[in-house]
Amino acid sequence: MSGATERIRNDWRSVGARWRRAPRWMRWVVLAAVIVFFYALPNKEFYQYLGPIPTTESNFGQVLFTVSIYVLLAVGLNIVVGFAGLLDLGYFGFFAVGAYTVAVLTSPSSDLKTLWPWLAVVPLAVALTMISGVSLGTPTLRLRGDYLAIVTLGFAEMIRIAATSSTFLKGQRGFNQIPHPPGEYADGKPVFGVLDARPYYWLVLSVIILVVFGVRNLTRSRVGRAWVSIREDEDAAQLMGVPTFKFKLWAFAAGAAIGGLAGALYAGKQNFVNSQNFELLNSIIILAAVILGGSGNIVGAIVGGGLVAYLIERFRGIELFGVELYEYRFLFFGVILVVMMIFRPEGLIPNRRRAAEFKDRRKEVTVGG
């Protein structure tokens, strides 16, 4: 078994090496083809020829929107967990802050009755979630590991309990008639509505592309190098003069802003927000998506977020021996995670540095054994 897994690892590494050796123009052509594929994906004229990829028991456009939101969240959490090495178990709390900011300021059922347009509230939602990240990080980022994980977990639970019990946030009754993003077709019909999820998917896909370019540039800057040094050895980074607390706070703020943006997009699409949308399980799923795809690698986070969201929906409507597989989706998901952690702990598409670390550890175990 170990020989087979090692061969798979070597094949995977050779694919990655060939990709890195390919000319720059070829990589841009492949990347452009992938982007065009995903823009064309929600059209039935296209996906009906893709075999088992479309879902049969749920609206494929809606599934793709859900997948895109998970991908955006995974890219944001990857900054905190993958690049800065901070274990955040409450990331979905920032998503809730973004969604509730939009709901409170735009919905007619809000006590504020401000009725702002959706587009005007989105920057405010992103700013508030960023402030939330800084407010959470300032007193807690001197903690490490399990202690930081417990604090962030508590933050997400505080948001959920406040949403459930506060009369201002409406509990399970929630906020309705949240406005959609602006835009009309030539015949005067709105682009964004309740029935067709495809425009929302294209909107979130465009946002993901912009966010990925921004995060990529950030990780290649002085800030990104500081995050990696903190992740590898925080004490050594501090001794070398890196202001670790400041850069950890930046990672928290950047990740929170992306989470809040995802929440604002989600609230506009759903047209309704209540406390049941923000269960703790979602934070665990997003964290698992980052680890499954490859912590510390933007492509890995995208693949992990997309796979996790898609596979959960793909089980819907499938029966085996009279058993509805969708009811056991999290069991299958857990089994996949356990297998992954045994045979490929660095994730499907790992960061090269982290893959090398895991390789060295395997050698040490072999020598020690």
Side-chain angles (χ1 to χ4, degrees):
M1 179 67 79
S2 61
T5 54
E6 192 57 38
R7 278 198 298 277
I8 293 172
R9 286 195 187 104
N10 290 334
D11 291 343
W12 197 261
R13 279 196 288 268
S14 66
V15 171
R18 280 200 294 272
W19 169 257
R20 288 189 291 275
R21 284 198 301 271
R24 180 183 286 267
W25 67 266
M26 186 180 292
R27 284 186 281 173
W28 277 108
V29 168
V30 173
L31 185 61
V34 170
I35 291 173
V36 169
F37 172 82
F38 281 106
Y39 269 106
L41 194 54
N43 295 306
K44 190 174 181 181
E45 298 79 9
F46 181 72
Y47 71 69
Q48 63 181 340
Y49 300 109
L50 297 179
I53 290 180
T55 52
T56 53
E57 297 298 325
S58 54
N59 183 292
F60 192 47
Q62 175 61 41
V63 171
L64 288 175
F65 170 75
T66 304
V67 168
S68 62
I69 288 291
Y70 272 73
V71 167
L72 187 56
L73 287 169
V75 170
L77 182 59
N78 190 45
I79 295 175
V80 182
V81 176
F83 291 117
L86 306 171
L87 187 53
D88 185 354
L89 288 182
Y91 187 67
F92 216 69
F94 299 120
F95 178 83
V97 171
Y100 268 106
T101 302
V102 171
V104 167
L105 293 174
T106 64
S107 171
S109 53
S110 168
D111 294 342
L112 295 183
K113 305 294 182 189
T114 48
L115 302 179
W116 289 10
W118 180 86
L119 195 58
V121 179
V122 171
L124 185 59
V126 172
L128 278 180
T129 46
M130 191 178 285
I131 292 170
S132 302
V134 173
S135 303
L136 174 65
T138 301
T140 60
L141 280 178
R142 300 190 191 282
L143 302 173
R144 298 183 187 181
D146 299 344
Y147 302 103
L148 180 61
I150 292 169
V151 170
T152 53
L153 184 66
F155 166 73
E157 277 297 274
M158 285 167 55
I159 297 290
R160 187 187 65 78
I161 291 171
T164 303
S165 57
S166 166
T167 54
F168 180 70
L169 296 178
K170 307 294 181 188
Q172 294 189 11
R173 188 152 56 91
F175 298 89
N176 56 21
Q177 299 183 51
I178 296 172
H180 299 289
E184 293 182 347
Y185 291 112
D187 59 1
K189 290 183 180 177
V191 174
F192 299 94
V194 176
L195 297 180
D196 189 3
R198 291 180 304 168
Y200 289 99
Y201 165 71
W202 288 320
L203 174 63
V204 181
L205 183 58
S206 305
V207 169
I208 289 171
I209 293 171
L210 294 175
V211 168
V212 165
F213 274 106
V215 172
R216 179 175 172 274
N217 288 335
L218 199 56
T219 54
R220 293 185 174 191
S221 68
R222 177 168 161 265
V223 177
R225 290 193 291 275
W227 286 341
V228 171
S229 68
I230 292 168
R231 183 191 70 197
E232 298 301 316
D233 192 327
E234 186 175 342
D235 293 331
Q238 201 158 18
L239 286 172
M240 295 302 292
V242 176
T244 56
F245 180 77
K246 182 180 83 172
F247 285 112
K248 286 196 294 184
L249 206 56
W250 283 24
F252 241 59
I258 296 173
L261 177 60
L265 291 164
Y266 175 83
K269 160 64 179 67
Q270 294 301 103
N271 196 228
F272 175 75
V273 164
N274 74 353
S275 60
Q276 290 187 320
N277 298 132
F278 309 105
E279 298 290 336
L280 175 63
L281 178 63
N282 295 305
S283 287
I284 308 299
I285 290 175
I286 299 298
L287 180 61
V290 173
I291 294 170
L292 178 70
S295 177
N297 187 344
I298 296 174
V299 178
I302 292 172
V303 170
L307 270 181
V308 166
Y310 172 75
L311 288 177
I312 289 175
E313 284 298 323
R314 195 66 189 84
F315 282 120
R316 193 187 294 276
I318 299 178
E319 284 192 11
L320 187 65
F321 305 116
V323 176
E324 177 74 33
L325 294 185
Y326 186 74
E327 299 295 325
Y328 298 93
R329 60 193 182 281
F330 292 119
L331 172 64
F332 295 123
F333 181 52
V335 170
I336 291 170
L337 276 180
V338 170
V339 172
M340 278 291 300
M341 289 304 103
I342 293 173
F343 294 106
R344 197 172 174 80
E346 65 269 35
L348 291 172
I349 307 177
N351 176 283
R352 273 185 289 170
R353 183 191 296 270
R354 293 183 72 82
E357 287 173 11
F358 279 105
K359 187 178 178 182
D360 290 342
R361 288 178 195 173
R362 279 195 293 271
K363 284 181 181 175
E364 290 171 5
V365 170
T366 304
V367 172

